[in-house]
Amino acid sequence: MTVVTSVQLAGLTTLILLFIGTPLAWWLARSSSLLASCCIPLIALPLVLPPTVIGFYLLLAFSPEHWFGATWLMLFDRPLAFSFEGLLLGSLIYSLPFFIQPMLVAFRDIPEGLLDAASTLGANGRDRFFNIVIPLSRNGFLVACTLTFAHTLGEFGIVLMIGGNIPGETRVLSIALFDYVETLDYTRAHRLALGLIGFSLLTLMVLQWLAKPGQKNGTQQRL
Amino acid sequence: MNSVEAYFKVKRGDSVILETPFTLPDSGITALFGPSGSGKSTLLQCIAGLVSKRDSAGSQLTVDGEIWMSESDYLAPDQRSVGLIFQQPQLFPHLSVLKNLQFARERRRKPAIVELEDVVESFDLSALLDRLPPSLSGGEAQRVAMARTLVNGPRLLLFDEPLTALDHESRSRLLTLIHQLGREKKIPMLYVSHQWDEILQIADHVHMIAGGRINRSGSLQALTTDLDFLSRHQPLASAILITEVEQHLQDEHLTQVSLGSQSLLIPKVELNTGKELRVLVKMADVSLSSQPSTHSSILNTLVCRIVDIAEHEGHAIVVLNCEGQVLSAKITGRSARQLGLTTGQSIYAQIKATTLNHEHYRNG
């Protein structure tokens, strides 16, 4: 159950960020506006803040006394705090920089001249994005998705603050491990911890293997 | 007739970096020549639509009567059908050579100047089709880039110093290809360079640009024989003689080319008899004599008529007419007085055969 919840959370977070984060990163990489330059540090904030700080404010926002939590409750007839949806929303926010940063690097790496060449050959913005930018950012996408997935899987502080520990709903692997240790169930704790290490190693190895062919085109990226 | 009529004004920050009227004839190769930073590339980018609407505010551009830029209009680069060949080939690194060409073919709005199959043939690309661009040499990549542009069916062809990054042999080969294109295809071509020898080899018309403004335009021949130009741009002063290959002297490794009823010997070129050959003659490599010289190591003597003489800082620049073509000689003022040169006089021009530039025809 815990594994399913964890994988569901990490998978959905990655998928949603793929659709929201990609255009956002493209805009941030290309725009020189004041708004864009303010957005970049704001998005990076979860990288440096203690997760509990974000968790604390999210918890406040999710409560039915707050307009955000109240609106949610009115629309969906269930509270956001201590729910899977709340956890997902929180994950999207704290995993955003782990998606955006590698994508920014990948997008900024694309030579302006290639896009100019594509323009003069008759490719419009959409055409250029799908046929030049996305294929050339392949490794960036791999890194971004893996980091997002792995980081969501491993996050503890925020989950504890806003998710609680409801089996089948908000109980994820990192919390379960904490529980086992608390209750001195070291056998299960070992099994879970070793499982997570194995999974993380496997992910990184697969990533390295997948990213290799891209090195030929000079847009490679390393973790 | 001009197919492009324009007035460009481009700002970078607060300073105006280009402000000039501009025209492009409807066929042949027009060269845009000027030092680095004179606005050459910016002008090309204006035509291609790569300068933002804001930076190019106040510019006007009409191509074949169609408005591309004006007070109210700004056509996006992907709507313009301009073929731009960059300094770097700018091939898409994730697509094979063939797919790069297909990318261009799929997006063309005008009939191609050359079909894909033909361009593969004439640019000698058949062995490269499956390769990825990062594995190509500089010359190969630039050939693919040119082919890709042609397959796209451009209305104008713009070259932005395409040979800068290439070695000598690739430069020669590409210059020949560009020269042939200029001859065969009836589309306006603009060639930007700060290398005068490239321009001498391919251009029909020349715009000289400096400080963001075109200050002189004309046919290449008119420019290379203009006394004022010659004295002000002495390092550029080479005449072009358009000759025809007459015969090859295999034993002596020489080729005889004809210039009207006279002929010149030059180091052997691989070109069939009857073909046109541009021979470059540097002003400083021409000496004058009042008598035909037979006792000299100099192989070539042309009978010429003096058209004009100008004294310039102790030197005399003498403009000569030979069989209807013009070349010039730079001699000391003292020699000029000793020879008693006057306009209209017949004179023997001696040209060192080894100094004649034909390099780029070797691979042609």
Side-chain angles (χ1 to χ4, degrees):
Chain A
M1 242 4 235
T2 316
V3 176
V4 174
T5 311
S6 272
V7 170
Q8 257 179 0
L9 182 69
L12 271 175
T13 304
T14 310
L15 198 67
I16 294 171
L17 282 183
L18 198 58
F19 286 97
I20 300 173
T22 305
L24 180 63
W26 180 243
W27 172 68
L28 290 173
R30 307 286 297 175
S31 173
S32 52
S33 71
L34 190 67
L35 185 64
S37 42
C38 291
C39 269
I40 292 178
L42 198 69
I43 288 169
L45 208 54
L47 288 175
V48 289
L49 274 182
T52 40
V53 173
I54 299 168
F56 172 60
Y57 285 114
L58 283 176
L59 191 64
L60 290 183
F62 287 177
S63 90
E65 276 93 67
H66 191 269
W67 67 266
F68 184 77
T71 315
W72 185 278
L73 189 63
M74 206 175 73
L75 286 175
F76 299 102
D77 202 27
R78 57 192 250 132
L80 206 45
F82 307 109
S83 72
F84 184 77
E85 290 82 4
L87 208 53
L88 183 61
L89 216 58
S91 299
L92 289 176
I93 291 167
Y94 71 69
S95 289
L96 189 62
F98 292 85
F99 187 86
I100 296 287
Q101 295 294 347
M103 289 319 297
L104 268 182
V105 175
F107 285 157
R108 284 179 177 152
D109 235 27
I110 293 174
E112 190 74 24
L114 282 185
L115 300 174
D116 284 348
S119 301
T120 59
L121 291 172
N124 61 25
R126 197 186 142 86
D127 189 356
R128 291 197 296 273
F129 186 71
F130 283 103
N131 292 306
I132 307 294
V133 175
I134 289 193
L136 285 182
S137 312
R138 179 176 163 274
N139 286 351
F141 276 107
L142 274 175
V143 173
C145 289
T146 314
L147 277 183
T148 305
F149 190 87
H151 180 255
T152 311
L153 211 60
E155 180 52 44
F156 178 74
I158 296 182
V159 177
L160 195 68
M161 297 285 280
I162 62 174
N165 196 359
I166 306 162
E169 174 83 21
T170 64
R171 186 168 198 223
V172 295
L173 290 171
S174 54
I175 303 282
L177 180 61
F178 181 73
D179 274 354
Y180 293 146
V181 177
E182 283 277 274
T183 55
L184 299 176
D185 187 352
Y186 279 27
T187 325
R188 289 176 128 169
H190 267 306
R191 208 188 302 152
L192 193 54
L194 284 174
L196 278 171
I197 290 174
F199 171 79
S200 304
L201 260 178
L202 194 71
T203 313
L204 293 175
M205 275 156 65
V206 168
L207 182 74
Q208 203 188 11
W209 177 70
L210 280 175
K212 249 181 191 158
Q215 290 185 359
K216 261 189 271 165
N217 62 30
T219 56
Q220 78 270 29
Q221 256 193 319
R222 288 175 210 287
L223 265 173
Chain B
M1 219 200 92
N2 289 326
S3 64
V4 177
E5 305 262 0
Y7 186 87
F8 293 122
K9 186 174 180 182
V10 178
K11 276 187 177 174
R12 275 290 134 76
D14 285 335
S15 54
V16 176
I17 57 166
L18 179 73
E19 184 165 16
T20 187
F22 175 81
T23 58
L24 192 61
D26 60 3
S27 68
I29 299 177
T30 302
L32 183 60
F33 176 75
S36 325
S38 55
K40 302 186 298 287
S41 294
T42 310
L43 193 149
L44 276 198
Q45 287 168 353
C46 266
I47 301 176
L50 299 175
V51 177
S52 75
K53 190 176 176 180
R54 202 183 61 186
D55 287 347
S56 59
S59 297
Q60 300 194 332
L61 171 61
T62 312
V63 177
D64 294 329
E66 232 179 84
I67 295 171
W68 286 10
M69 284 162 97
S70 72
E71 289 284 310
S72 51
D73 300 278
Y74 185 89
L75 208 60
D78 55 280
Q79 301 292 320
R80 292 192 185 197
S81 295
V82 164
L84 177 52
I85 290 140
F86 301 79
Q87 220 172 85
Q88 300 298 325
Q90 305 295 5
L91 300 176
F92 306 128
H94 59 298
L95 300 177
S96 67
V97 168
L98 179 64
K99 291 210 167 120
N100 263 279
L101 297 177
Q102 286 169 340
F103 184 98
R105 183 173 65 180
E106 283 160 13
R107 284 160 183 80
R108 73 182 177 213
R109 282 175 308 279
K110 298 259 293 180
I113 304 173
V114 197
E115 282 303 329
L116 204 152
E117 295 71 24
D118 299 332
V119 89
V120 166
E121 168 93 31
S122 59
F123 280 53
D124 194 16
L125 302 178
S126 50
L128 308 176
L129 289 178
D130 295 328
R131 301 258 297 270
L132 281 175
S135 73
L136 301 177
S137 73
E140 288 169 338
Q142 200 57 285
R143 245 153 61 215
V144 176
M146 269 173 64
R148 183 176 69 172
T149 305
L150 293 176
V151 167
N152 193 237
R155 298 167 66 161
L156 309 171
L157 258 185
L158 313 177
F159 297 87
D160 191 0
E161 311 208 26
L163 310 181
T164 314
L166 303 182
D167 60 73
H168 187 75
E169 201 165 305
S170 307
R171 278 183 52 162
S172 302
R173 187 165 182 185
L174 275 159
L175 266 180
T176 309
L177 282 169
I178 295 169
H179 186 63
Q180 281 169 359
L181 276 176
R183 279 291 135 88
E184 293 163 9
K185 310 299 172 198
K186 293 284 160 244
I187 57 165
M189 292 166 64
L190 182 62
Y191 187 92
V192 161
S193 182
H194 66 270
Q195 301 278 1
W196 186 245
D197 68 304
E198 287 176 14
I199 288 173
L200 283 175
Q201 290 173 58
I202 59 168
D204 300 304
H205 313 275
V206 180
H207 289 306
M208 310 273 288
I209 188 169
R213 192 166 187 88
I214 291 172
N215 50 29
R216 183 158 196 147
S217 301
S219 78
L220 181 64
Q221 294 243 328
L223 202 64
T224 49
T225 53
D226 181 288
L227 254 184
D228 180 49
F229 174 80
L230 291 180
S231 42
R232 273 196 292 130
H233 302 276
Q234 290 194 29
L236 307 183
S238 305
I240 345 157
L241 297 177
I242 298 176
T243 67
E244 197 176 284
V245 177
E246 219 165 40
Q247 58 167 319
H248 299 290
L249 311 173
Q250 298 292 350
D251 298 344
E252 295 174 278
H253 294 281
L254 293 171
T255 295
Q256 187 176 336
V257 297
S258 66
L259 181 70
S261 61
Q262 306 190 47
S263 61
L264 286 171
L265 287 172
I266 59 169
K268 192 168 176 295
V269 291
E270 302 295 335
L271 213 59
N272 290 340
T273 314
K275 288 274 182 187
E276 180 196 302
L277 179 65
R278 281 189 186 197
V279 172
L280 308 187
V281 183
K282 286 192 190 127
M283 185 162 76
D285 291 335
V286 181
S287 60
L288 300 177
S289 161
S290 53
Q291 285 162 13
S293 122
T294 44
H295 307 286
S296 163
S297 67
I298 289 172
L299 222 39
N300 292 306
T301 304
L302 293 174
V303 184
C304 305
R305 186 172 300 280
I306 297 177
V307 180
D308 211 345
I309 307 169
E311 292 249 1
H312 183 79
E313 290 167 2
H315 290 283
I317 293 168
V318 185
V319 180
L320 306 161
N321 182 320
C322 177
E323 305 281 334
Q325 299 196 45
V326 187
L327 71 159
S328 49
K330 183 185 171 190
I331 57 175
T332 61
R334 187 193 169 100
S335 315
R337 281 187 296 279
Q338 275 179 354
L339 286 165
L341 301 179
T342 50
T343 310
Q345 180 188 344
S346 272
I347 195 101
Y348 296 94
Q350 299 175 322
I351 304 164
K352 257 186 162 170
T354 49
T355 63
L356 299 177
N357 187 339
H358 61 88
E359 290 291 347
H360 79 280
Y361 287 93
R362 261 192 194 149
N363 301 299

